[in-house]
């Protein structure tokens, strides 16, 4: 009898080992994010004869039945991008996946646009100093003084004492040879937009990404670098699946801040990518959108874990075009903002696209002085130190102001539960459990534990009060 029991146990153990191997093969990454991005880009450029709604974005655990799709991009995390050659096949597949327990979400791919406000009036700064400064304070726009950039920088010690902080610009690329960007650009050669400039790589041919990048550089210290991820083409158009892949690439590059000045229709594709970024301590700033509608109707503006930014003008009024609603986290300058442009020139543009990088720049400065702060701690720091507003339409979201900041135990939170790279496991929602990160500043953060050196994993420290954020449904398109 003992012999039979021994044999039975051996069989069970062997079978369990097989199951472990199978589970590992289902959930471990089979390709790199670079290879996955190339696959997505090929789908986008190869099947241009088909409407984008013939392509589905499926998030599912493990492998899935591809049904009668004619091509696909998969093997990174839980994303599967499936190409169909007719509407009926795509609709049947969407219905099928909606009924599969392993499928978290399924949606049609779509084209998004870089939507600046209607009255943008480009102009070139002709009588300027060599560095392009348009104002006496040496900055390119009125927004720098408005948010208190110089006051914050003056309160810092020598920039050489700070570590490098990287801001990812997920947009139309960056004109990386612009004189204003000297020593501030880290090249990525990341281009999945479907168009290629003569200069190569992530070079911007549309101007939107370059303008956004200039706002970040104009409002940060020299330790803050920018990286361009070109996901919009030379007409300012992009595809949802391509943009999501660009966000995942920025996460894998371990940047500190991601700016997404893009808006679009209802979707869930952004949510997991942004949640993963925030869980990893990456601040994600997104434009609220320019359709004068509730931000809950567009994504990524409605993604809870992102900092959603609305626009205002120099007189202190909300911009006529800006989206609004209870999901607005903060309001920043977004009307007639001067910044860098193509051909080593400068131009003025308006839009929540311009408001978002002001917050991204402020977040980069806070990350510089508080390297152990989590993404949510930085968001709380910015909100608490900003000016109160009477913008009822924005649910009284504060006005960005970093001119007179103070540290507070209220800002500190514990890191969320460890989240693996999207390449290995499905992304998780940012944790609401309290955790904390100590400040690296000598000036005190009430803490019960000694400060440790920054690490890739969020540092913990008990928070006095856990904070939660309003939830909403997602949506997408460049703003």
């Amino acid at each position: 009898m003992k012999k039979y029991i021994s044999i039975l146990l051996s069989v069970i153990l062997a079978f369990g080992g097989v199951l472990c191997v199978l589970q590992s093969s289902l959930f471990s990454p089979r390709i790199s994010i670079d290879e996955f991005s190339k696959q997505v880009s090929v789908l986008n450029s190869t099947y241009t004869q088909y409407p984008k709604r013939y392509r589905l974005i499926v998030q599912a655990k493990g492998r899935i039945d591809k049904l009668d799709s004619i091509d696909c991009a998969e093997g990174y995390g839980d994303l599967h991008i499936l190409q169909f050659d007719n509407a009926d096949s795509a609709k049947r597949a969407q219905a099928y996946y909606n009924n599969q327990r392993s499928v978290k979400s399924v949606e049609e791919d779509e084209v998004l646009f870089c939507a600046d406000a209607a009255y943008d009036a480009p102009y070139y700064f002709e009588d300027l100093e060599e560095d392009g400064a348009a104002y006496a304070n040496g900055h390119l726009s009125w927004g720098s003084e408005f948010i208190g950039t110089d006051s914050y920088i003056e309160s810092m010690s020598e920039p050489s004492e700070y570590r490098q902080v990287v801001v990812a610009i997920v947009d139309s690329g960056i004109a990386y040879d612009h004189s204003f960007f000297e020593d501030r650009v880290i090249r990525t050669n990341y281009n999945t937009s479907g168009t290629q400039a003569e200069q190569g790589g992530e070079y911007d041919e549309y101007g939107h990404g370059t303008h956004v990048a200039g706002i970040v550089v104009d409002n940060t210290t020299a330790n803050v670098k920018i990286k361009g991820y070109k996901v919009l083409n030379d007409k300012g158009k992009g595809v949802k699946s391509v943009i999501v892949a660009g966000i995942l690439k920025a996460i894998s590059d371990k940047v500190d801040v991601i700016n997404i000045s893009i808006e679009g229709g209802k979707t869930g594709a952004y949510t997991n990518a942004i949640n993963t970024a925030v869980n990893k301590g990456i601040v994600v700033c997104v434009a609220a959108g320019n359709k004068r509608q509730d931000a809950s109707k567009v994504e990524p503006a409605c993604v809870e874990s992102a900092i959603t930014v609305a626009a205002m003008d120099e007189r202190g009024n909300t911009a006529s075009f800006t989206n609004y609603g209870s999901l607005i986290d903060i309001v920043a300058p977004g009307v007639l903002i001067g910044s860098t442009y193509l051909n080593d020139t400068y131009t003025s543009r308006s839009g929540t696209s311009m408001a978002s990088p002001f917050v991204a720049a402020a977040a980069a400065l806070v990350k510089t002085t508080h390297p152990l702060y989590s993404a949510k701690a930085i968001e709380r720091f910015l909100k608490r130190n900003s000016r109160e507003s009477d913008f009822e339409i924005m649910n009284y979201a504060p006005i960005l102001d970093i001119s007179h900041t103070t540290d507070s135990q209220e800002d500190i939170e514990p890191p969320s539960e460890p989240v693996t790279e999207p390449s290995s496991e499905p992304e998780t929602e940012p944790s609401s459990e309290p955790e904390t990160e100590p400040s690296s500043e000598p000036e005190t953060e009430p803490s019960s534990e000694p400060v440790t050196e920054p690490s890739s994993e969020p540092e913990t420290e008990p928070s006095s009060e856990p904070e939660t954020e309003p939830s909403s449904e997602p949506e997408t398109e460049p703003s």
Side-chain angles (χ1 to χ4, degrees), residues 98-120:
N98 275 327
N99 289 315
Q100 301 304 303
R101 301 176 77 180
S102 63
V103 174
K104 292 195 293 185
S105 66
V106 55
E107 60 197 83
E108 296 175 350
D109 208 350
E110 65 176 311
V111 176
L112 307 178
F113 298 87
C114 204
D116 296 314
Y119 60 82
D120 288 351

Side-chain angles (χ1 to χ4, degrees), residues 43 138 194 292:
L43 286 183
R292 194 62 183 175

Side-chain angles (χ1 to χ4, degrees), residues 219-411:
N219 291 278
T220 52
T221 45
N223 68 297
V224 177
K225 311 298 182 183
I226 53 173
K227 279 188 170 186
Y229 296 82
K230 185 173 181 176
V231 296
L232 305 179
N233 65 19
D234 57 4
K235 294 181 173 57
K237 295 181 181 180
V239 179
K240 186 195 308 179
S241 56
V242 170
I243 296 167
V244 169
I247 297 170
L248 294 178
K249 172 59 176 172
I251 294 171
S252 73
D253 285 347
K254 296 180 170 58
V255 301
D256 298 286
V257 181
I258 298 175
N259 187 85
I260 310 171
S261 289
I262 298 172
E263 64 175 313
K266 276 290 182 183
T267 172
Y270 280 118
T271 305
N272 277 353
I274 291 176
N275 286 343
T276 298
V278 173
N279 275 340
K280 289 179 176 295
I282 301 171
V283 180
V284 181
C285 301
V286 300
N290 303 330
K291 301 290 176 58
R292 194 62 183 175
Q293 63 179 345
D294 197 298
S296 65
K297 297 180 179 178
V298 293
E299 195 180 40
C302 69
V303 177
E304 176 186 347
S305 56
I307 300 178
T308 301
V309 188
M312 64 185 303
D313 63 25
E314 191 171 3
R315 294 170 296 180
N317 301 318
T318 58
S320 61
F321 51 79
T322 187
N323 286 351
Y324 52 82
S326 61
L327 296 182
I328 301 301
D329 290 303
I330 201 162
V331 187
V335 177
L336 296 177
I337 302 300
S339 186
T340 47
Y341 196 57
L342 304 179
N343 302 315
D344 207 27
T345 60
Y346 300 83
T347 190
S348 172
R349 279 185 149 168
S350 302
T352 54
S353 280
M354 286 65 250
S356 182
F358 275 105
V359 180
L365 289 177
V366 177
K367 188 68 175 178
T368 295
T369 56
H370 300 73
L372 299 180
Y373 267 20
S374 67
K376 283 301 175 186
I378 291 175
E379 179 179 350
R380 279 199 285 274
F381 179 97
L382 291 175
K383 288 179 175 179
R384 183 178 56 77
N385 282 290
S386 291
R387 283 174 272 169
E388 293 183 356
S389 80
D390 57 359
F391 303 148
E392 184 177 1
I393 197 172
M394 304 289 181
N395 198 34
Y396 303 102
I399 299 169
L400 180 63
D401 186 351
I402 55 173
S403 60
H404 299 90
T405 62
T406 58
D407 296 331
S408 170
Q409 181 70 21
E410 295 176 8
D411 299 327

Side-chain angles (χ1 to χ4, degrees), residues 162 202 268 309 334 340 357 415 426 447 463:
Y162 296 111
E202 72 277 24
V309 188
T340 47
S447 163
S463 170

